[in-house]
Amino acid sequence: MNIRHLHYFQQLAQLQHFAKAANACHVTQPTLSAGISSLEKSLGTELVVRGSQFVALTDAGQIMLQYAERMLQEQAALKQELSLFRGQLTGSLRIGIVPQSSIDIMPLIKLFNQAYPNISIKLSVMTNGQLIENLSLHKTDIGLGFDEQLTEANRRSFVFYPQRANQMALLSCDSVDDSASQSLSLDDIGTRPLVLLSQNMQFRKYIDNAMAQAGIDFNLVLETDSLFHLIGAVKHGLGSAIVSRGIAESVSQLFGIPYQLLDGVSTGQTVFMTRKHSITPAMKAFMCQLES
């Protein structure tokens, strides 16, 4: 089994397009197709349903993809381990985060970059469900999300690093109360226009549940899955946003938008998550920062 052919197969499964996968692998389309055919021949089964273009993975292909991800991850881990013999850790680190958490991850990334400048970092924003799935499928190395939506199998195969409680805050250019230190209740928000993250986000579910239990209706003017646009909406006076305390503190420092803490909203525990197995040196180094 050729590791290069596994990479071809992985890229095809992700991009679902032969030409795009070939371009991502920096080979011609015939070379990629031949490599995947060679992989199928060595395994004795078809992995891809072909028509005039990519159709889907076969059932065997779906199983093979899980193993391919792990094998490629192990190869990456090996390369990182061997790079230590050359005196400097090299490679990549894939971090997945939910849009809202109690942690500003950028100071941690900066600290890691200063210590390991030859490790490239890919930071992806996703829902909590996607984060857990990507960790399980070896598509993400480290996750920052909520300790929810986890199966018993997840809990057995992940390592958790709990962080501080995920307290809420109201981010607004117009303070609800004259005292910025005064915490607010949901009743204090009243009928103020709100801009919120989309309903598919776990953080939004906490807000929806709290509002429903308090019998309060939204005055929702905008919802988005982009934290950047959420902050932009507040900055332009479109409405107030309910965000995590960590996000509110960072936004206040960067953009000068005031915030007030919000009581009465029950949230999940913010945690860093990694797999128990297939751990790369870069993953170990990043997580050591949390324990120091």
Side-chain angles (χ1 to χ4, degrees):
M1 187 182 300
N2 191 311
I3 197 72
R4 185 171 65 252
H5 296 165
L6 283 178
H7 180 58
Y8 293 170
F9 172 69
Q10 177 208 34
Q11 289 298 308
L12 179 62
Q14 288 184 353
L15 299 174
Q16 300 185 4
H17 192 283
F18 278 96
K20 291 180 179 178
N23 184 59
C25 294
H26 307 290
V27 297
T28 64
Q29 187 171 331
T31 297
L32 181 129
S33 297
I36 292 176
S37 294
S38 177
L39 179 62
E40 290 176 319
K41 184 177 180 180
S42 69
L43 295 171
T45 185
E46 291 187 352
L47 303 175
V48 179
V49 180
R50 297 173 175 82
S52 57
Q53 55 188 0
F54 176 88
V55 177
L57 296 182
T58 64
D59 290 343
Q62 293 286 356
I63 295 173
M64 183 61 201
L65 178 59
Q66 298 179 33
Y67 283 89
E69 294 279 2
R70 295 175 192 171
M71 294 167 73
L72 291 170
Q73 176 68 11
E74 292 292 350
Q75 182 198 33
L78 174 61
K79 288 182 177 179
Q80 287 187 19
E81 292 281 5
L82 294 178
S83 74
L84 293 173
F85 289 96
R86 298 191 295 271
Q88 184 61 265
L89 183 62
T90 62
S92 62
L93 180 66
R94 302 166 299 176
I95 302 176
I97 62 173
V98 295
Q100 299 263 18
S101 75
S102 60
I103 302 298
D104 183 357
I105 199 170
M106 283 306 165
L108 291 172
I109 290 178
K110 181 180 179 180
L111 183 64
F112 180 82
N113 176 254
Q114 290 172 339
Y116 305 97
N118 293 325
I119 292 290
S120 63
I121 300 174
K122 180 180 179 182
L123 183 65
S124 301
V125 179
M126 58 192 73
T127 66
N128 204 56
Q130 290 170 336
L131 177 61
I132 293 167
E133 179 181 9
N134 282 6
L135 283 168
S136 299
L137 296 177
H138 294 70
K139 294 180 179 180
T140 297
D141 300 319
I142 296 172
L144 176 59
F146 300 111
D147 185 12
E148 295 190 4
Q149 298 179 320
L150 294 167
T151 65
E152 286 303 315
N154 292 149
R155 295 186 183 278
R156 288 194 299 269
S157 58
F158 291 171
V159 180
F160 300 96
Y161 301 82
Q163 306 301 302
R164 71 183 185 185
N166 200 22
Q167 190 172 5
M168 300 278 194
L170 186 73
L171 192 65
S172 177
C173 287
D174 300 315
S175 294
V176 176
D177 190 278
D178 292 334
S179 173
S181 62
Q182 179 70 40
S183 62
L184 305 171
S185 68
L186 292 175
D187 290 331
D188 294 323
I189 297 175
T191 59
R192 291 175 64 88
L194 294 176
V195 294
L196 299 173
L197 285 176
S198 301
Q199 287 184 314
N200 65 318
M201 303 294 183
Q202 182 64 35
F203 189 86
R204 171 67 182 276
K205 291 180 173 63
Y206 297 138
I207 300 171
D208 288 350
N209 291 338
M211 288 288 198
Q213 290 176 9
I216 299 173
D217 293 327
F218 286 118
N219 180 10
L220 183 63
V221 297
L222 173 72
E223 62 178 355
T224 175
D225 57 4
S226 166
L227 187 58
F228 172 81
H229 289 103
L230 190 78
I231 295 168
V234 176
K235 185 70 174 177
H236 285 84
L238 191 60
S240 303
I242 299 176
V243 298
S244 71
R245 179 177 182 173
I247 293 297
E249 290 172 345
S250 297
V251 170
S252 180
Q253 292 174 3
L254 293 172
F255 304 106
I257 301 176
Y259 71 91
Q260 292 174 268
L261 297 180
L262 184 62
D263 296 326
V265 182
S266 177
T267 64
Q269 177 75 46
T270 298
V271 295
F272 277 99
M273 297 176 270
T274 64
R275 295 179 301 276
K276 287 184 178 178
H277 306 289
S278 300
I279 304 298
T280 67
M283 293 167 65
K284 293 177 183 177
F286 190 92
M287 300 317 295
C288 280
Q289 290 184 164
L290 302 179
E291 300 173 338
S292 62

